Amino acid sequence: MRSLVWALVSFAAPAVLAGQRGNARTSAPIDLTGYWVSVVTEDWAWRMVTPHKGDYASVPLNDEGRRAAGTWDPAKDESNGNQCRSYGVGHIMRVPGRLRVTWDSDSTLKIETDAGQQTRLLRFDASQPPGGDAQWQGHSAATWEVPAGRGFGGRGGAPPRGGSLKVVTTRMKAGYLRKNGVPYSENAVVTEFFDRHTESNGEWFTVTTIVDDPKYLQQSFITSTDFRREPDGSKWHPVPCTAR
């Protein structure tokens, strides 16, 4: 609840886009680079273990979504090479594990996951989605948002202090909102807000994820997920996707 309130405050606050000076990397109002571990304090039964087939409690599925969830067959996903369906952009930040966040270029922030060995590229350059088949992580357009009044930098053009990262992802492969086959479609839109904060037990960021999908959902599906910074990558241990 604390995380969701934090994010909702961010939505409500007047904001302007950062990045008018320099590039996305030099104008970043918050630093998300480094190693992070997810801290699971809620939804344990749906995140730490694979829920039973037909368990879609708290997900606002419509009739078609419930029908699709009832067809979940992990053996079929494995045989079709779709064992990563619950590691797509609609769910990957909910998968327990670690993240490695780096700058791939001055205009692209890269998020790697040890769970499922996924790579997300958050693009600040307004580039168009590449041609070819859709991928699990889709095409992510990123912008920095800074509360109005904080400006775009202090002395010497330094980045503003405080703000958030907004990411809108489209053009993804259809996947699962939970590992037990709760679906989202290839036409879903995933909107995320990343907020950095300091607590008594370390540095954290919270990502609030909003999935909109008229095909399977009656309304937006909203989750809030916490990550705590780790001092180094000594616990980084990538493992492949699993369907079960």
Side-chain angles (χ1 to χ4, degrees), residues 83 85 103 139 148 169 202 231:
Q83 59 270 25
R85 289 188 74 169
W103 283 96
H139 177 79
T169 302

Side-chain angles (χ1 to χ4, degrees), residues 18-19 24-31 144-147 159-165:
R25 183 174 185 173
T26 59
S27 63
I30 55 174
D31 180 16
W144 294 120
E145 294 197 334
V146 180
R161 298 187 63 184
S164 63
L165 169 64

Side-chain angles (χ1 to χ4, degrees), residues 79-128:
S79 64
N80 291 338
N82 285 325
Q83 59 270 25
C84 290
R85 289 188 74 169
S86 66
Y87 297 81
V89 65
H91 182 249
I92 187 60
M93 302 303 284
R94 298 292 282 172
V95 178
R98 289 178 166 81
L99 307 178
R100 178 168 59 190
V101 184
T102 58
W103 283 96
D104 193 54
S105 71
D106 285 341
S107 61
T108 304
L109 191 65
K110 180 166 67 174
I111 300 178
E112 298 169 275
T113 71
D114 64 352
Q117 298 175 314
Q118 298 296 300
T119 299
R120 301 187 60 188
L121 297 176
L122 314 184
R123 305 177 188 277
F124 291 82
D125 58 4
S127 62
Q128 295 300 309

Side-chain angles (χ1 to χ4, degrees), residues 2 32-41 47 97-101 195-207 225-232 235:
R2 175 192 57 77
L32 294 172
T33 61
Y35 289 89
W36 305 83
V37 61
S38 59
V39 178
V40 182
T41 57
R47 296 180 61 190
R98 289 178 166 81
L99 307 178
R100 178 168 59 190
V101 184
D195 289 283
R196 176 81 184 269
H197 47 104
T198 301
E199 305 292 344
S200 59
N201 57 347
E203 296 294 322
W204 296 69
F205 80 76
T206 298
V207 56
T225 311
D226 294 321
F227 292 85
R228 185 175 61 219
R229 179 184 284 278
E230 297 201 307
D232 53 44
K235 297 180 180 179

Side-chain angles (χ1 to χ4, degrees), residues 53 68-79 176 180-181 243-244:
K53 185 174 182 177
T71 67
W72 175 58
D73 184 346
K76 184 177 180 180
D77 283 341
E78 290 170 344
S79 64
Y176 295 150
N180 63 337
R244 302 172 188 268

